[in-house]
């Protein structure tokens, strides 16, 4: 459809017109005496005109034969026809026939039927020709006093449309008439329309009316109250003199039963006032909406507003924490997570910690109930609650006592995340609160044999070895540990044939037993099948000796999880068992000799397990560590040792006695508290405002009300804090310049400069959509017709809106757009060709376009994740992409920074919350400064880079689609200075793993990154 036709059309209806009828055929049907035939003809004519056909000759036929009809269907279609018909000549003058149309419209405005009057008034709202409206002004004003509210409602909007389009001078008496109508009007919609007209055309009258009706506003309908709130926001910014009286109205409306009014009142109070009373009232309204509305989208919107209030009014919201926590009853995990983000951290203090912990404890108990077991997301919610309890109680010992035994029950769960979070919580309590150590360690020793996770077992064993000091406690811990390891000796599983043999022993006895064991017996028997027929089945019966052996082995193997892990080849756990046992025995002076010998047997048994394992050996780290422990125990018993061995024993004893592990743990806990998302006392980061010394000072009081400059209409009525506080917009020009430079850098050339049609493209990402702007230039001296860009996509891209065809004069340029839908984080390609026609050529000419690659970096935003969550996801994710490092960069730090900057990936366990966000920097994009700051804070990685030839770093990022991307970079610096190694990427879906791998492959060879 041409732009000229679409200009007069406010509606679009698809119509398969086929072969359009001629004007004479339609005129004949319009001249029919039957209203039904006229209506059918008029409907077809309207549909044809909407779809681009032109019938200028039929205007007079309609005036002659159709206007006089009183049929309501004909009248409805006439309103649409008057709206879309061409009203001007080619030179822009109004057609003479429109005078007759004005007369017909005037008759309809004075019609006895109120529907026809109202429909005509609705039509006049869309008329933008003053010569048509001028003779109808009197009739329009007369309809303001019509008996029916439908007519009055549309008459008000018609008056407003005329004043808005052509100025107040055309209807100078309109404000007064509307004000009089407001005073006597009983219909709510009409009153709302009249008030909106005064609000936008005569604000002083609107303020005067509202102040006179101040006590009655709360009893009026919600649509009128919303209009009053719109007036309050505008007037409080332009004339603060009435702010106090108007805000009193907002206070009264805040308790409205209408949710829309209540939400609007809260937003208005927050944006217009910073008094504690106003903020408290607004927060109360938000909390009421949060707890009473069942729609999750409404809850998320309200929580976003509360998060904004929290940034500036923390003290006021502190008293509302328990009310906000009521939203945890919502089953949506997103809502629950956002509630935690708002309430935990800066809003939890010594005044409300008791209530918060009691509520979270109650919620944890709920997740353990029978009814909650089958609920989707119950496990994730329990993880969230355990993390929340950890964050809340780690600094309050009295509250930690109330929950620590409840949380210890989760140590025996099969879910590694919950168990690991609990052991981290207990580790922090033991390190910080000495009075809680004994009871925690005693309880840990009782449940040690039931713990299923190796990581959790290692944490428990380290705590035993480091913090157990009383002899009774040491003996009980070792007895519990040995009880979990019995019967001794431990036997390892032979993976080849599934048999078990003693560690380090010969397998001859097993072979003899296997030969002596008789083979199993297979019997065949007849059975009755489900359909009533007979069939046969074969049954294998095990020999008696084999059954007894398997039962004994299974009974021995199921005694404890720690035994199963050790026999399965968990070397790290073996070393931890040896170190913890040795530390505990050395601490106890009067240790029972029988228990000491059994512990020594366990250490020797573990050493043999590690040495005989296919992945172990004598030089394995765990084997070396276990050898040190055995030597310490033997030397402690008084056995003679070589001087070198005695010196080594003294070094290890001195290291353990120095309690250096506790100092390192204190540093780890301090770092964890800094990076914790819910660290208590952490203030919410508020964006700092900075104004350059060369920027103009804008005085809002001196701002020009009308004409040029920044008018009130230019200020959007959004509830954003920056807008509400009159944020300076003097730097808009600089921002526009930066935006233009950024756009210019992303422009890609699609055809050559010598081609007849030059095309360049700019691809812009809007969340899940891509907008492709194509600049088309005619480089020839001929007119090119039907210039059309045909596009296709490869990957997970879907073309929604295709570029339209255009006609280009010589040298003319035009911009066309295409919309593309994105479904996932996957590298996509856009390709195609441009076709055009020349008058001198018979066939279309075609030019192939260059390929346009969609940058995956536009989908990936920097994000933060803890080490435990990273390990959990690393073990769960299935897709892995491995890329070998092949780069000209010869510095490990420079290469790592180069990869992080070009993939938006941040170091795992390092929070980016404190990183700066310069003006104009896109959210979620890592800058060079951010990367350097992150590497600077990661002291361990920085030290590795400076002192070691091998560095391994874990990175994390998240896509706008919620997909997690994990990466492990292992870099080795060779003696000749070159870097080698690999990058392993894991994700839940294949697309982001492959796309991120391609991105790293492309950017890793960047020499510029190495120079930087």
């Amino acid at each position: 459809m041409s732009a000229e036709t679409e200009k007069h059309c406010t509606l679009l209806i698809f119509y398969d017109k086929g072969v359009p009828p001629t004007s004479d055929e339609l005129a004949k049907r319009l001249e029919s005496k039957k209203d039904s035939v006229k209506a059918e003809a008029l409907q077809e004519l309207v549909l044809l005109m909407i779809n681009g056909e032109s019938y200028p000759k039929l205007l007079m036929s309609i005036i002659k034969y159709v206007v006089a009809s009183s049929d309501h269907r004909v009248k409805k279609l006439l309103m649409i026809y008057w709206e879309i018909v061409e009203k001007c000549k080619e030179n822009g003058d109004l057609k003479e026939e429109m005078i007759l149309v004005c007369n017909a419209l005037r008759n309809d405005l004075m019609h006895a039927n109120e529907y026809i009057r109202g429909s005509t008034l609705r039509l006049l709202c869309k008329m933008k020709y003053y010569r048509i409206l001028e003779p109808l002004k009197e009739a329009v004003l007369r309809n303001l006093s019509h008996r029916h509210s439908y007519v009055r409602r549309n008459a008000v909007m018609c008056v407003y449309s005329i004043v808005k389009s052509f100025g107040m001078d055309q209807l100078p008496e309109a404000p007064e008439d509307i004000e009089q109508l407001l005073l006597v009007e009983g219909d709510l919609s009409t009153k709302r329309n009249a008030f909106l007209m005064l609000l936008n055309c005569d604000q002083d009258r609107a303020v005067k009316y509202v102040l006179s009706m101040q006590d009655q506003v709360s009893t009026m309908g919600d649509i009128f109250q919303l209009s009053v709130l719109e007036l309050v926001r505008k007037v409080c910014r332009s004339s603060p003199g009435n702010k106090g009286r108007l805000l009193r109205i907002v206070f009264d409306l805040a308790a409205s039963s209408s949710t829309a009014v209540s939400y609007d009142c809260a937003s208005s109070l927050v944006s217009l006032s910073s008094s504690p009373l106003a903020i408290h009232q607004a927060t109360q309204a938000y909390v009421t909406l949060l707890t009473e509305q069942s729609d999750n989208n409404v809850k998320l919107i309200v929580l976003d507003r509360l998060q904004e209030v929290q940034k500036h009014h923390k003290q006021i919201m502190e008293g509302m924490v328990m009310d906000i926590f009521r939203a945890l009853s919502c089953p949506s995990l997103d809502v629950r997570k956002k509630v935690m983000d708002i309430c935990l951290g800066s809003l939890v203090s010594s005044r409300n910690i008791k209530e918060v912990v009691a509520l979270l404890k109650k919620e944890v108990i709920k997740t353990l109930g029978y009814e909650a077991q089958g609920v989707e997301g119950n496990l994730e919610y329990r993880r969230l609650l355990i993390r929340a309890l950890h964050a809340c109680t780690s600094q309050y010992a009295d509250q930690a006592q109330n929950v620590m035994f409840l949380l210890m029950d989760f140590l025996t769960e099969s879910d590694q995340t919950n168990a690991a979070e609990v052991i981290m919580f207990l580790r922090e309590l033991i390190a910080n609160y000495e009075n809680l150590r004994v009871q925690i360690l005693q309880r840990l020793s009782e449940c040690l044999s039931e713990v299923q996770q190796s990581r959790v077992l290692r944490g428990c064993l380290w705590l035993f070895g480091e913090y157990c000091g009383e002899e009774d406690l040491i003996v009980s811990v070792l007895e519990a540990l040995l009880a979990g390891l019995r019967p001794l000796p431990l036997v390892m599983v032979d993976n080849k044939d599934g048999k078990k043999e003693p560690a380090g022993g010969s397998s001859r006895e097993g072979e003899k037993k296997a030969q002596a064991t008789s083979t199993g017996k297979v019997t065949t028997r007849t059975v009755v099948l489900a359909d009533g027929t007979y069939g046969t089945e074969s049954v294998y019966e095990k020999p008696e000796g084999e059954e007894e052996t398997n039962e004994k082995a299974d009974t021995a193997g199921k005694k404890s999880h720690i035994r199963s892990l050790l026999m399965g080849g968990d070397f790290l756990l073996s070393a931890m068992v040896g170190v913890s046992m040795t530390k505990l025995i050395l601490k106890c002076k009067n240790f029972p000799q029988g228990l000491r010998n059994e512990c020594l047997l366990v250490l020797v048994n573990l050493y043999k397990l590690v040495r005989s394992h296919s992945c172990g050996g004598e030089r394995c780290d765990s084997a070396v560590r276990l050898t040190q422990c055995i030597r310490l125990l033997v030397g402690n018993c008084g056995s003679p040792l070589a001087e070198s061995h005695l010196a080594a024993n003294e070094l290890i004893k001195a290291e353990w006695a120095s309690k250096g592990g506790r100092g390192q743990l204190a540093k780890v806990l301090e770092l964890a508290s800094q990076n914790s998302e819910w660290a208590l006392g952490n203030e919410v980061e508020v964006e700092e405002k900075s104004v350059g010394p060369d920027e103009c000072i804008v005085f809002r009081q001196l701002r020009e009300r009308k004409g040029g400059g920044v008018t009130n209409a230019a200020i959007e009525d959004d509830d954003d804090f920056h807008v509400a506080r009159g944020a300076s917009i003097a730097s808009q020009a600089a921002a526009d310049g930066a935006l233009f430079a950024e756009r210019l850098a992303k422009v890609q050339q699609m055809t050559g400069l010598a081609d007849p049609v030059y095309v360049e493209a700019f691809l812009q990402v809007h969340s899940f959509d891509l907008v492709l702007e194509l600049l088309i230039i005619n480089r020839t001296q001929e007119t090119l017709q039907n210039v059309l860009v045909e596009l296709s996509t490869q990957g997970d891209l879907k073309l929604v809106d295709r570029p339209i065809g255009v006609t280009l004069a010589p040298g003319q340029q035009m911009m066309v757009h295409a919309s593309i839908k994105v479904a996932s984080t996957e590298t996509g390609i856009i390709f195609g060709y441009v076709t055009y026609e020349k008058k001198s050529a018979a066939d279309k000419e075609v030019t192939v376009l260059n390929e346009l690659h969609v940058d995956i970096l536009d989908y990936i935003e920097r994000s933060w994740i803890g080490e435990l969550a990273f390990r959990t996801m690393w073990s769960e994710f299935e897709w892995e992409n491995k890329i070998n490092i092949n780069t000209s960069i010869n510095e490990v730090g420079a290469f790592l920074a180069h990869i992080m900057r070009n993939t938006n990936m941040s170091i795992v366990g390092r929070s980016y919350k404190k990183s700066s966000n310069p003006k104009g920097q896109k959210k979620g994009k890592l800058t060079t400064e951010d990367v350097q700051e992150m590497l600077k804070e990661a002291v361990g990685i920085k030290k590795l880079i400076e002192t070691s030839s091998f560095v391994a770093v874990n990175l994390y990022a998240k896509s706008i689609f919620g997909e997690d991307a994990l990466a492990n970079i292992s870099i080795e610096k060779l003696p000749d200075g070159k870097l080698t190694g690999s990058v392993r990427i894991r994700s839940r879906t294949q697309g982001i793993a492959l796309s991120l791998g391609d991105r790293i492959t492309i950017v890793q060879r960047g020499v510029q990154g190495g120079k930087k």
Side-chain angles (χ1 to χ4, degrees):
M1 190 188 303
S2 67
E4 191 66 20
T5 308
E6 194 174 6
K7 181 175 63 177
H8 304 285
C9 175
T10 56
L11 69 156
L12 182 62
I13 305 171
F14 174 74
Y15 179 61
D16 189 5
K17 53 191 177 182
V19 180
T22 62
S23 297
D24 295 334
E25 292 173 354
L26 286 173
K28 187 176 180 181
R29 292 166 60 189
L30 290 170
E31 294 170 8
S32 173
K33 294 181 179 180
K34 294 183 179 181
D35 287 336
S36 59
V37 177
K38 289 182 180 180
E40 293 294 336
L42 188 56
Q43 178 176 330
E44 186 176 359
L45 174 62
V46 167
L47 290 171
L48 288 168
M49 292 180 67
I50 288 174
N51 284 272
E53 298 296 327
S54 178
Y55 293 94
K57 297 180 181 179
L58 293 180
L59 177 58
M60 203 61 210
S61 299
I62 290 176
I63 294 174
K64 283 182 181 180
Y65 301 105
V66 182
V67 167
S69 175
S70 59
D71 184 71
H72 278 201
R73 186 186 175 198
V74 174
K75 287 288 185 185
K76 290 179 186 178
L77 292 168
L78 268 177
M79 298 302 169
I80 302 176
Y81 178 76
W82 297 139
E83 182 182 342
I84 65 174
V85 71
E86 181 61 59
K87 303 170 184 66
C88 297
K89 301 177 184 178
E90 293 181 358
N91 58 4
D93 295 337
L94 200 67
K95 291 182 178 180
E96 290 81 1
E97 294 91 339
M98 295 312 296
I99 299 174
L100 300 174
V101 175
C102 288
N103 187 47
L105 293 175
R106 181 181 178 83
N107 292 335
D108 287 341
L109 286 173
M110 308 305 293
H111 200 280
N113 185 285
E114 59 271 7
Y115 173 76
I116 294 177
R117 284 198 184 202
S119 300
T120 308
L121 288 166
R122 287 171 64 89
L123 169 66
L124 294 182
C125 290
K126 304 171 186 177
M127 287 287 184
K128 302 304 176 185
Y129 298 93
Y130 182 68
R131 291 183 58 189
I132 297 177
L133 295 171
E134 186 176 12
L136 304 176
K137 290 190 298 184
E138 183 182 351
V140 170
L141 290 174
R142 197 177 301 172
N143 279 301
L144 289 173
S145 57
H146 192 271
R147 59 180 176 81
H148 202 283
S149 61
Y150 177 72
V151 178
R152 298 195 303 273
R153 186 189 316 151
N154 287 289
V156 171
M157 295 311 295
C158 186
V159 171
Y160 175 44
S161 178
I162 295 172
V163 171
K164 185 179 179 182
S165 300
F166 306 106
M168 186 66 72
D169 297 337
Q170 308 305 328
L171 287 173
E173 69 279 11
E176 186 176 352
D177 293 344
I178 296 296
E179 186 180 13
Q180 293 300 321
L181 176 64
L182 261 178
L183 296 173
V184 299
E185 182 57 54
D187 180 67
L188 188 61
S189 298
T190 307
K191 181 172 284 194
R192 188 273 311 268
N193 291 353
F195 185 77
L196 282 176
M197 190 256 175
L198 283 184
L199 168 63
N200 291 283
C201 300
D202 195 339
Q203 203 172 90
D204 294 335
R205 285 181 186 269
V207 174
K208 181 181 176 183
Y209 172 76
V210 168
L211 294 178
S212 66
M213 304 288 291
Q214 181 174 346
D215 298 331
Q216 303 177 25
V217 172
S218 57
T219 61
M220 297 179 179
D222 55 350
I223 57 175
F224 184 80
Q225 291 171 350
L226 291 172
S227 303
V228 172
L229 291 172
E230 185 181 348
L231 171 74
V232 170
R233 286 194 295 270
K234 286 190 174 182
V235 171
C236 288
R237 290 170 183 165
S238 59
S239 50
N242 294 318
K243 184 175 180 179
R245 299 177 66 185
L246 292 174
L247 282 180
R248 196 175 300 117
I249 297 175
V250 181
F251 271 97
D252 295 338
L253 293 178
S256 172
S257 58
S258 170
T259 55
V261 174
S262 178
Y263 176 81
D264 221 12
C265 285
S267 301
S268 301
L269 287 172
V270 169
S271 62
L272 298 175
S273 175
S274 58
S275 70
L277 185 61
I279 300 302
H280 183 273
Q281 184 75 19
T283 309
Q284 186 66 51
Y286 281 142
V287 171
T288 303
L289 290 172
L290 179 64
T291 54
E292 293 182 357
Q293 294 299 308
S294 58
D295 191 345
N296 290 341
N297 294 321
V298 175
K299 290 179 183 289
L300 290 172
I301 292 171
V302 172
L303 287 170
D304 285 338
R305 294 298 185 191
L306 285 172
Q307 207 162 23
E308 287 294 319
V309 176
Q310 179 200 12
K311 291 180 182 179
H312 303 274
H313 306 283
K314 180 179 76 72
Q315 294 82 4
I316 298 171
M317 282 195 63
E318 197 172 298
M320 311 285 292
V321 169
M322 298 309 298
D323 295 323
I324 300 173
F325 266 127
R326 288 162 56 194
L328 290 177
S329 59
C330 175
S332 171
L333 192 64
D334 293 332
V335 174
R336 287 168 167 171
K337 178 68 167 62
K338 196 168 272 296
V339 168
M340 298 285 192
D341 291 339
I342 293 173
C343 294
L344 299 181
S346 61
L347 296 186
V348 176
S349 65
S350 57
R351 292 186 292 273
N352 55 21
I353 182 65
K354 186 175 181 180
E355 291 81 5
V356 171
V357 170
L359 184 139
L360 294 175
K361 184 178 177 181
K362 184 179 178 182
E363 290 294 319
V364 170
I365 295 173
K366 279 184 184 179
T367 63
L368 298 174
Y370 177 76
E371 296 179 355
Q373 296 306 314
V375 178
E376 185 180 357
N378 183 61
L379 182 60
E380 289 79 6
Y381 182 42
R382 192 186 305 162
R383 292 175 182 172
L384 198 66
L385 289 170
I386 292 174
R387 284 165 47 207
L389 282 170
H390 181 183
C392 288
T393 59
S394 57
Q395 297 181 17
Y396 297 93
D398 54 339
Q399 298 302 324
Q401 286 179 308
N402 296 332
V403 297
M404 62 185 186
F405 292 118
L406 171 66
L407 295 183
M408 282 188 194
D409 295 336
F410 296 105
L411 287 174
T412 58
E413 275 198 350
S414 58
D415 182 34
Q416 182 179 0
T417 305
N418 283 347
E421 186 69 39
V422 172
I423 197 62
M424 296 303 163
F425 170 58
L426 297 176
R427 182 184 68 176
E428 191 168 350
L429 292 182
I430 290 174
N432 295 333
Y433 304 106
E434 189 174 353
N435 58 325
L436 300 178
R437 288 177 185 172
V438 175
Q439 48 185 329
I440 294 177
L441 292 172
Q442 187 66 42
R443 180 66 183 275
L444 283 177
S445 65
E446 295 172 2
C447 63
L448 186 65
S449 60
E450 300 176 9
V451 177
Q452 304 179 28
Q453 308 294 337
S454 174
R455 175 182 172 84
V456 181
L457 283 168
R458 296 197 306 269
C460 295
L461 292 170
W462 187 88
L463 291 174
F464 289 145
E466 189 69 30
Y467 290 102
C468 284
E470 301 178 1
E471 291 189 5
D472 295 340
L473 180 60
I474 291 174
V475 172
S476 64
V477 167
L478 283 174
E479 286 180 347
L481 182 56
L482 289 172
L485 297 176
R486 294 187 184 110
L488 298 173
L490 301 175
V491 293
M492 71 175 183
V493 179
D494 189 356
N495 295 326
K496 294 181 180 179
D497 52 9
K499 298 175 184 177
K500 299 178 181 179
E501 58 184 29
S506 174
S507 60
R508 293 177 182 175
E509 296 180 5
E511 291 176 1
K512 291 179 181 178
K513 288 182 181 179
Q515 293 172 2
T517 303
S518 59
T519 57
K521 183 173 65 175
V522 179
T523 59
T524 305
R525 61 185 179 185
T526 305
V527 295
V528 181
L529 302 179
D531 57 355
T533 60
Y534 291 96
T536 58
E537 69 176 5
S538 299
V539 180
Y540 174 76
E541 296 180 0
K542 296 181 180 179
E544 294 181 2
E546 185 179 348
E547 290 180 359
E548 292 177 2
T549 305
N550 289 340
E551 285 178 6
K552 290 180 180 179
D554 292 342
T555 303
K558 291 180 180 177
K559 280 191 175 180
S560 68
H561 295 281
I562 185 171
R563 180 185 173 89
S564 303
L565 291 169
L566 291 173
M567 291 191 302
D570 193 336
F571 295 168
L572 195 56
L573 181 59
S574 300
M576 197 70 246
V577 169
V579 171
S580 298
M581 279 187 169
T582 307
K583 278 186 175 181
L584 292 173
I585 293 173
L586 292 179
K587 284 182 181 181
C588 190
K589 296 181 180 179
N590 301 319
F591 196 74
Q593 188 62 35
L595 207 57
R596 185 193 303 268
N597 292 339
E598 192 172 3
C599 291
L600 189 57
L601 173 62
V602 170
L603 295 186
V604 174
N605 196 177
L606 290 176
Y607 172 75
K608 288 185 176 181
L609 277 174
V610 173
R611 189 186 64 179
S612 60
H613 198 278
S614 58
C615 299
E618 293 185 356
R619 303 190 62 83
C620 174
D621 292 344
S622 298
V624 172
R625 193 65 167 162
L626 287 167
T627 304
Q628 293 174 352
C629 295
I630 294 170
R631 188 171 57 210
L632 276 168
L633 287 182
V634 171
N636 193 47
C637 296
S639 300
L641 293 175
E643 292 185 3
S644 59
H645 291 172
L646 289 173
N649 286 354
E650 293 300 325
L651 283 175
I652 296 176
K653 286 181 181 180
E655 180 188 349
W656 288 350
S658 66
K659 298 182 179 179
R662 300 189 184 187
Q664 294 298 325
L665 176 60
K667 294 180 181 179
V668 170
L669 293 178
E670 182 183 359
L671 183 63
S673 65
Q674 291 176 359
N675 292 328
S676 174
E677 55 184 332
W678 295 330
L680 298 190
N682 279 6
E683 297 292 335
V684 179
E685 185 181 358
V686 181
E687 184 179 349
E688 297 181 0
K689 297 179 182 178
S690 59
V691 181
D694 56 340
E695 292 186 4
C696 298
I697 300 175
V698 179
F699 295 95
R700 297 181 68 214
Q701 290 80 1
L702 304 180
R703 187 178 293 152
E704 191 175 359
R705 302 289 183 194
K706 296 179 181 178
V710 181
T711 62
N712 293 331
I715 301 177
E716 295 291 338
D717 276 333
D718 193 12
D719 302 315
D720 192 341
F721 279 88
H722 305 293
V723 178
R725 283 167 168 72
S728 173
I729 58 172
S731 59
Q732 187 63 39
D736 291 343
L739 179 63
F740 175 74
E742 182 184 353
R743 287 172 60 95
L744 199 61
K746 290 187 175 181
V747 171
Q748 297 193 33
Q749 185 176 332
M750 305 294 285
T751 62
L753 291 172
D755 291 326
V757 177
Y758 174 75
V759 181
E760 64 181 24
F762 170 70
L763 191 64
Q764 194 168 8
V765 179
H766 293 292
S767 294
F768 306 117
D769 298 321
L770 299 176
V771 178
L772 182 64
E773 297 182 3
L774 296 167
L775 176 65
I776 307 174
I777 304 176
N778 183 2
R779 303 278 293 174
T780 66
Q781 299 301 318
E782 302 180 53
T783 299
L784 301 181
Q785 298 178 343
N786 297 327
V787 181
L788 184 64
V789 179
E790 290 286 352
L791 298 175
S792 298
T793 59
Q794 179 182 344
D796 212 349
L797 305 176
K798 181 182 179 183
L799 200 60
V800 180
D801 295 328
R802 297 181 179 275
I804 61 172
V806 296
T807 300
L808 298 177
Q812 184 184 1
Q813 66 182 29
M814 190 171 292
M815 186 81 73
V816 295
H817 298 81
S819 297
I820 301 167
K821 196 76 173 176
V822 185
S824 66
T825 310
E826 186 176 344
T827 303
I829 301 174
I830 303 172
F831 57 95
Y833 54 90
V834 57
T835 63
Y836 51 91
E837 298 177 359
K838 292 182 180 179
K839 291 184 178 179
S840 57
D843 299 328
K844 287 185 178 181
E845 298 190 23
V846 180
T847 302
V848 179
L849 303 176
N850 293 330
E851 290 183 351
L852 184 64
H853 292 262
V854 179
D855 192 358
I856 188 179
L857 202 62
D858 292 326
Y859 304 144
I860 296 179
E861 295 181 346
R862 63 179 181 178
S863 188
W864 177 88
I865 194 174
E867 294 179 357
L868 179 60
F870 179 89
R871 292 193 185 99
T872 304
M873 287 194 288
W874 185 269
S875 61
E876 291 176 355
F877 288 177
E878 299 176 357
W879 292 102
E880 180 174 316
N881 188 11
K882 185 176 180 181
I883 303 100
N884 293 324
I885 294 177
N886 182 16
T887 180
S888 57
I889 304 173
N890 52 19
E891 292 294 333
V892 176
F895 177 76
L896 185 59
H898 181 65
I899 294 296
M900 291 171 62
R901 189 173 59 253
N902 285 280
T903 57
N904 277 339
M905 303 192 82
S906 55
I907 299 175
V908 172
R910 311 301 306 186
S911 174
Y912 64 89
K913 297 174 186 176
K914 297 181 182 179
S915 61
S916 58
N917 188 18
K919 237 177 193 179
Q921 176 65 31
K922 281 190 175 181
K923 179 186 177 183
K925 304 299 181 186
L926 273 177
T927 61
T928 305
E929 292 77 12
D930 293 335
V931 173
Q932 295 301 329
E933 183 69 22
M934 206 175 293
L935 290 174
K936 183 180 178 182
E937 288 184 359
V939 181
I941 296 175
K942 185 180 179 183
K943 190 174 181 180
L944 270 178
I945 293 174
E946 293 173 352
T947 60
S948 175
S949 60
F950 178 80
V951 179
V953 183
N954 294 330
L955 303 179
Y956 173 78
K958 197 168 189 176
S959 73
I960 61 176
F961 306 100
E963 300 168 315
D964 299 296
L966 315 177
N968 172 263
I969 302 183
S970 301
I971 312 171
E972 182 182 0
K973 190 169 185 178
L974 300 176
D976 58 357
K978 292 184 179 180
L979 299 183
T980 185
S982 64
V983 181
R984 295 168 64 196
I985 302 168
R986 285 195 182 184
S987 64
R988 198 179 297 276
T989 57
Q990 182 183 19
I992 188 171
L994 296 177
S995 302
L996 202 56
D998 295 340
R999 173 79 181 178
I1000 292 175
T1001 302
I1002 293 171
V1003 303
Q1004 71 169 331
R1005 299 193 180 101
V1007 180
Q1008 295 179 355
K1011 290 180 180 179
K1012 289 180 183 179

